[in-house]
Amino acid sequence: MSQAPSAALARGLEGLVAGETSICSIEQGGLLYRGYEIHDLAQNATFEEVAFLLLIGHKPSAAELTRFKQELVAERALPGPVVDFLRAAGPMLKAGTAVPMDVCRTAVSILGHLDPDSQDVTAGANLRKARRLIAKVPTIIGHMQNVIDGREIVGREKGGDPTLDHAANLLYMMSGAKPNPTHARVIDVSLILYAEHDFNASTFTSRVIAATLSDMHGAVTGAIAALKGPLHGGANEMAMEMLKEIRAFIEAGKGSINDFMQKAFADKRKLMGFGHRVYKNGDHRAPILHKLGRSIAAANGPDHLKWFEIGEEVQAIMLRDKNIHPNVDFPCGMTYYVMGIPVPQYTPIFVAARMSGWCAHVIEQHANNRLIRPLSQYTGPALRSWNG
């Protein structure tokens, strides 16, 4: 009986190099998008510039950025069948048989049926599809939230307000109100921070699918399904739910934050928003978003600031007792919450950001493809006879 080639077992593929990429580098000393460090991008770039950088490979000129933004605005509106689906999804969302990430996944899949380039995996077609997907996901989120809230769909004909930048338009479509510039900038920075992160679970999923020469819509639909899980993108939602639980615990007089945390440790509870498979000395993105979110909370008043005060004590206890740092999902939960963004939309907003990275990886995979097919270590019964 033949044996599979000998190979080291690495559960979860931890520590293995599964491929090459020129898109992103995760290092203990920094996070780089095509050579640009994340603090530099968060301070000086916009999401549209970062999306262009990821997709095209270089910083856009003024003319290139103007054209790219115009192309995104032109692609924001959703086809009728997708809007019909979002309206039909309302009862499923209210019943709890679906959550916004499920609806987002299906809406993106439907877009694949309607895209004129859907079955074409050439570089030009992939780039056109990437622009459409990046443009349309915020519209999906906005229209979905309108359905959940029982209001008329905002910006149905044009996908929002063509005069607003990408992040500001996302907030506008969700609420129907023009966002203040500070909130728009914070969302813009959060999109930059979430745009790309190497061979994470969802991106690797997209590359595995793309490696079969499947299409971009199929690849990113699979990536959305991977991102939904609480051990990946869903951690920002779970982190905020945990903070709400902690606040209710202390306000009910049941004990202190430390009491809650010690019980969680004793129960071996998984505390979301902490730790990272790659970063050992802390997530470079987390302090950027924490600072911005805390500033908004402070401006909103003591009740909002309380969330960050609780969060900071939780972080201190985790570092003191477990030597574990927060990842970007922890401040994201608090930041989005004090901005009034519904918790179930946190991970769909993550999709709006990461779509740029996913598409860049699909383009890169198709350009230099090899089927991704790892080995497994068999742990089942030895050879036996069916009739024996």
Side-chain angles (χ1 to χ4, degrees):
M1 186 176 180
S2 63
Q3 297 293 319
S6 177
L9 172 65
R11 295 191 67 229
L13 303 183
E14 184 171 1
L16 296 183
V17 177
E20 296 176 316
T21 182
S22 64
I23 299 169
C24 175
S25 174
I26 300 176
E27 303 169 8
Q28 295 306 321
L31 169 63
L32 281 65
Y33 295 176
R34 296 198 186 272
Y36 294 96
E37 211 281 322
I38 195 64
H39 288 79
D40 186 7
L41 294 173
Q43 183 172 349
N44 299 305
T46 65
F47 174 73
E48 290 94 327
E49 289 174 308
V50 169
F52 182 98
L53 170 70
L54 294 173
L55 292 176
I56 308 301
H58 65 263
K59 177 182 176 180
S61 67
E64 287 173 326
L65 180 60
T66 296
R67 183 168 61 251
F68 184 67
K69 291 174 72 172
Q70 290 171 343
E71 290 167 343
L72 291 182
V73 169
E75 295 288 359
R76 284 176 177 173
L78 296 178
V82 179
V83 178
D84 291 343
F85 163 70
L86 292 172
R87 287 189 170 119
M92 293 178 275
L93 289 163
K94 289 182 172 63
T97 56
V99 296
M101 278 295 283
D102 298 332
V103 173
C104 184
R105 181 195 67 224
T106 301
V108 167
S109 185
I110 295 172
L111 286 174
H113 302 319
L114 304 169
D115 194 298
D117 292 310
S118 62
Q119 306 307 316
D120 189 343
V121 298
T122 60
N126 276 343
L127 186 56
R128 291 190 295 273
K129 288 184 284 188
R131 288 196 297 259
R132 293 176 192 131
L133 284 163
I134 292 168
K136 293 181 189 303
V137 168
T139 312
I140 291 170
I141 297 167
H143 289 2
M144 184 190 344
Q145 190 59 44
N146 299 157
V147 170
I148 292 170
D149 293 339
R151 69 160 65 93
E152 286 298 310
I153 287 178
V154 175
R156 168 68 183 90
E157 297 303 317
K158 297 182 177 181
D161 184 340
T163 68
L164 293 176
D165 288 340
H166 197 75
N169 192 57
L170 169 59
L171 290 176
Y172 167 64
M173 285 189 296
M174 291 181 71
S175 66
K178 299 290 179 67
N180 71 54
T182 300
H183 284 205
R185 178 55 184 161
V186 170
I187 288 295
D188 192 70
V189 171
S190 77
L191 295 179
I192 291 171
L193 298 178
Y194 272 129
E196 166 56 13
H197 214 233
D198 190 60
F199 279 22
N200 58 84
S202 56
T203 298
F204 192 64
T205 297
S206 75
R207 292 194 73 132
V208 169
I209 295 171
T212 69
L213 295 185
S214 188
D215 64 285
M216 179 172 281
H217 284 83
V220 299
T221 297
I224 294 171
L227 190 71
K228 175 188 174 184
L231 294 183
H232 189 17
N236 52 18
E237 297 180 29
M238 298 301 293
M240 191 61 224
E241 294 298 341
M242 179 185 72
L243 284 170
K244 291 198 291 188
E245 186 181 349
I246 293 172
R247 185 164 182 173
F249 177 86
I250 59 176
E251 290 182 351
K254 296 181 179 179
S256 66
I257 297 173
N258 188 62
D259 292 333
F260 182 96
M261 296 295 290
Q262 296 308 319
K263 185 176 188 306
F265 295 153
D267 294 342
K268 300 188 183 305
R269 175 174 172 172
K270 177 70 175 175
L271 299 175
M272 308 308 295
F274 287 89
H276 197 276
R277 178 69 67 84
V278 179
Y279 297 122
K280 303 306 178 187
N281 301 313
D283 186 334
H284 306 291
R285 302 166 296 173
I288 300 172
L289 198 52
H290 186 101
K291 181 179 178 181
L292 292 172
R294 199 183 204 285
S295 178
I296 288 178
N300 287 350
D303 186 63
H304 287 76
L305 187 58
K306 183 69 174 177
W307 292 111
F308 278 82
E309 292 170 345
I310 294 170
E312 287 159 1
E313 187 169 346
V314 170
Q315 289 178 198
I317 294 169
M318 285 292 288
L319 190 58
R320 180 195 71 200
D321 293 1
K322 299 295 182 179
N323 196 31
I324 299 176
H325 297 266
N327 57 50
V328 71
D329 294 317
F330 193 68
C332 176
M334 296 183 287
T335 299
Y336 285 0
Y337 195 78
V338 299
M339 292 175 65
I341 297 173
V343 173
Q345 295 291 11
Y346 291 5
T347 317
I349 293 174
F350 193 158
V351 172
R354 188 57 59 84
M355 187 60 70
S356 56
W358 290 335
C359 291
H361 278 274
V362 170
I363 291 170
E364 186 177 65
Q365 184 69 41
H366 280 161
N368 185 26
N369 190 54
R370 181 171 175 79
L371 182 69
I372 298 172
R373 205 300 189 184
L375 302 173
S376 65
Q377 181 170 297
Y378 179 63
T379 60
L383 178 65
R384 49 186 173 173
S385 171
W386 186 257
N387 291 320

